[in-house]
Amino acid sequence: MSHSPTVAEAVALYDAFAAAYDRSFDTEPMRRVYERLAWEGVAALLPARIGTVVDVGCGTGRNAERLRTLGHAVIGIEPSPEMRAVLAGKPALAHGFTLLPDTMEEAVLPEAASDAVLAMGSLQYAVDPRAAMARLVHWVRPGGLVCVLVDSRIALTFELLRLGRTEEALTRLDEGCGVFSYGGRRSGVHLFDAGGIAALMREAGLGAVETRGILVSASAQGREACSAAIQADEEALLALERRLREVPALADAGKHILAWGYREA
C-alpha cells in the first residue's frame, strides 16, 4: 500500500542507496536517460549570468558538479549522511560549494538571496509539499527560477494498469502517494499531476509556470520496452523524448514531470 513519506524512512533509504547511487545511472537505462533529459531542461532555464543556485536534495552532488562547471556557486541541501559521504569525495565540489546537512524543512537560508532553486527528485519526499514549495520560493530572488522534478501520478497509474495491478493503480491514483524501495528500505513518495504541481507553484508565488513530461515513451511502451529501446539506440530514444518533451499536453504522460516558474515581485 502507498503511504505518505517520513523524513526518517527517506533518509534511511538513501543511506542504503548511497554507495550504488552514481553507478545506477550507468546500469539502469531509464535512470540514465531521464537524468540527461531533466538536466538538459534545467540547463536551458538557468540564468545566463553566474549566480548562486540552491540544490535541494543534492544527493551525491551530480547536479551540483554540473552547476559548478557552469561557474555557479552552489548551496546543497542533503539530509542523508551516506549520500553526503559520497559527495565529500568529489574534487569538483571542493570550492564554490556549501553543504547544509539538513532537510528542506529544516534548512535555514536568507530570503531572496539565490538566483535559482532546484529540487530535482526531492520535493516528493517532503512531509508537506505545499509548505516545502513555499520555502523554495522564499529563498529565490524576485524573477529567479524555481525548478522541480517530480514523479507523475498519471504515468504510474498507467504502468500499474498495464501490469494488471488494478487495485494498486486506483489506490495510488486516489491517494497521490507511492513507494520507492531499495536495499530492503522503502519510503513513501508524493505523486503529482501537471495541474497539481503547477497550482502548488502558483500558490507559492511563482509566475510563468510551465510543465513538461520526461520519459513519455515509458508510458506509451511500458518500462521494459522503453529500456530495450534505450539499449538498442539511446540517441534515437533521446531524440524522440526531446520531441515529446516539447508538447505541454503530454506532461502527465511523462514518468517524471519537470515543472518551473519564476518568483513574482
Side-chain angles (χ1 to χ4, degrees):
M1 293 293 289
S2 55
H3 61 282
S4 296
T6 68
V7 171
E9 69 179 9
V11 169
L13 185 151
Y14 280 96
D15 277 347
F17 197 5
Y21 187 76
D22 285 340
R23 188 169 64 253
S24 72
F25 290 91
D26 296 323
T27 59
E28 300 177 30
M30 286 177 58
R31 178 176 287 273
R32 179 172 62 253
V33 165
Y34 92 67
E35 184 188 49
R36 285 184 65 179
L37 292 166
W39 174 251
E40 287 176 5
V42 170
L45 296 168
L46 287 170
R49 67 181 181 84
I50 300 302
T52 299
V53 180
V54 180
D55 186 3
V56 182
C58 64
T60 61
R62 295 176 67 83
N63 282 330
E65 288 183 293
R66 297 179 178 107
L67 290 163
R68 287 296 301 129
T69 297
L70 294 175
H72 298 289
V74 182
I75 300 171
I77 298 172
E78 178 51 57
S80 162
E82 296 300 323
M83 297 289 267
R84 296 197 304 265
V86 175
L87 181 154
K90 298 193 171 182
L93 300 179
H95 304 284
F97 177 74
T98 303
L99 177 62
L100 301 181
D102 302 308
T103 66
M104 67 185 78
E105 291 90 349
E106 297 169 332
V108 177
L109 289 169
E111 180 178 6
S114 300
D115 298 283
V117 176
L118 310 179
M120 306 302 289
S122 56
L123 182 68
Q124 58 260 44
Y125 293 100
V127 174
D128 182 350
R130 175 174 281 102
M133 180 64 74
R135 304 198 87 219
L136 307 191
V137 175
H138 179 81
W139 295 332
V140 77
R141 63 173 174 79
L145 170 74
V146 175
C147 183
V148 303
L149 184 75
V150 295
D151 290 348
S152 169
R153 180 169 63 103
I154 305 305
L156 181 59
T157 300
F158 288 161
E159 180 180 345
L160 293 172
L161 289 172
R162 181 181 292 106
L163 294 172
R165 293 155 60 179
T166 304
E167 183 177 348
E168 183 181 0
L170 294 175
T171 297
R172 302 274 176 99
L173 182 65
D174 291 341
E175 294 184 358
C177 290
V179 175
F180 177 57
S181 302
Y182 182 86
R185 299 285 187 173
R186 64 202 305 268
S187 174
V189 292
H190 292 286
L191 305 171
F192 297 86
D193 56 62
I197 190 65
L200 206 65
M201 297 179 92
R202 293 188 186 101
E203 180 184 323
L206 297 176
V209 174
E210 296 190 48
T211 60
R212 296 292 188 274
I214 303 290
L215 273 184
V216 173
S217 56
S219 291
Q221 303 173 2
R223 183 183 295 263
E224 290 186 3
C226 182
S227 292
I230 294 169
Q231 291 173 314
D233 190 339
E234 185 165 326
E235 293 306 317
L237 191 282
L238 281 164
L240 171 62
E241 283 292 335
R242 291 178 184 121
R243 176 68 181 89
L244 298 175
R245 183 181 57 189
E246 294 308 308
V247 182
L250 292 177
D252 279 326
K255 188 177 186 300
H256 309 281
I257 300 171
L258 188 70
W260 67 91
Y262 301 87
R263 182 173 178 178
E264 296 180 326

